[in-house]
Amino acid sequence: MNQTYETTVPVQEHAEETPRKTGVASGVLIGTLMIGFGLLAAFAPVATGLSLAYVITAGLGVYGATQLVSFVRAGKERRSGWALANGILLTGFSLFTLWSAVQTTYGTVAMISVLATVVAFFTVLSGIGQFFTFAELREHGTEGAGWVLTSGILNVILGIVLLTNPLASWFALSAVWGIYLSVSGLALLVESISGRRGVRGDA
């Protein structure tokens, strides 16, 4: 009986330690990548902003093409005219914008300006939505309502800044996003390394 117990305990400890080490390794890898991308965005905001603009525009085209394929594959009774129109508009916008950006410098400027304006629009809408959420939370006496209000105000201000100068704001946000990503990656890396030391200490 005692021999069976002594054999089972090390096996259970090894089974618990393996996922822990895997999680630590993943945290170190992801944290390092986040720091690398963050520094690249912070010190090269123009290149990052351009790359991000191209990726988002291409992503919209892929999404639109997916909607078109889904429309064609769906049965007649399940087809949606809105999905068809949305797919055509997104695909057409993506292809035309990418073509214009490749052909002329003005096309690239226009692409970034349009994307920044769209982001600003949805940011303002998100902030307004948070105002309504704050009102509901305050009415029910929920804690943390002030943070929701603060977030809403910041979103509205950010949206207005983007609308004021979409091009410059887009590149500025790329740098800010890079700093935020670097700090988050550093925090994750430190946390993962600390966890790894904890595993060694337990052993």
Side-chain angles (χ1 to χ4, degrees):
M1 180 67 178
N2 292 336
Q3 185 176 2
T4 304
Y5 176 76
E6 292 176 358
T7 305
T8 305
V9 172
V11 173
Q12 290 178 346
E13 291 180 353
H14 182 268
E16 293 176 357
E17 186 176 351
T18 300
R20 194 186 312 170
K21 288 183 177 180
T22 303
V24 170
S26 300
V28 171
L29 176 61
I30 295 174
T32 304
L33 290 175
M34 288 174 65
I35 293 174
F37 285 121
L39 291 176
L40 178 63
F43 289 102
V46 175
T48 303
L50 287 173
S51 301
L52 189 60
Y54 278 105
V55 169
I56 292 176
T57 305
L60 290 175
V62 172
Y63 179 68
T66 303
Q67 286 192 318
L68 292 176
V69 172
S70 299
F71 176 83
V72 173
R73 291 184 176 181
K76 292 183 178 181
E77 65 281 355
R78 298 177 57 186
R79 288 180 177 176
S80 170
W82 170 252
L84 176 62
N86 194 36
I88 293 174
L89 288 175
L90 285 177
T91 305
F93 167 78
S94 177
L95 293 175
F96 177 76
T97 304
L98 289 175
W99 175 80
S100 299
V102 172
Q103 294 296 321
T104 62
T105 304
Y106 177 76
T108 303
V109 173
M111 175 180 64
I112 295 175
S113 298
V114 170
L115 288 176
T117 303
V118 171
V119 171
F121 177 74
F122 283 106
T123 302
V124 171
L125 285 183
S126 176
I128 295 175
Q130 287 176 316
F131 290 157
F132 288 104
T133 302
F134 163 75
E136 294 179 0
L137 293 177
R138 187 178 181 183
E139 183 179 353
H140 292 87
T142 305
E143 295 183 2
W147 290 107
V148 177
L149 176 62
T150 303
S151 179
I153 294 174
L154 291 176
N155 279 332
V156 171
I157 293 175
L158 177 61
I160 293 174
V161 171
L162 279 171
L163 288 173
T164 303
N165 194 338
L167 189 62
S169 299
W170 180 267
F171 294 120
L173 282 178
S174 298
V176 173
W177 177 76
I179 296 173
Y180 171 78
L181 192 63
S182 298
V183 173
S184 300
L186 181 61
L188 178 60
L189 186 62
V190 171
E191 182 181 355
S192 300
I193 293 175
S194 300
R196 186 176 181 181
R197 289 177 178 172
V199 171
R200 290 179 178 177
D202 293 340

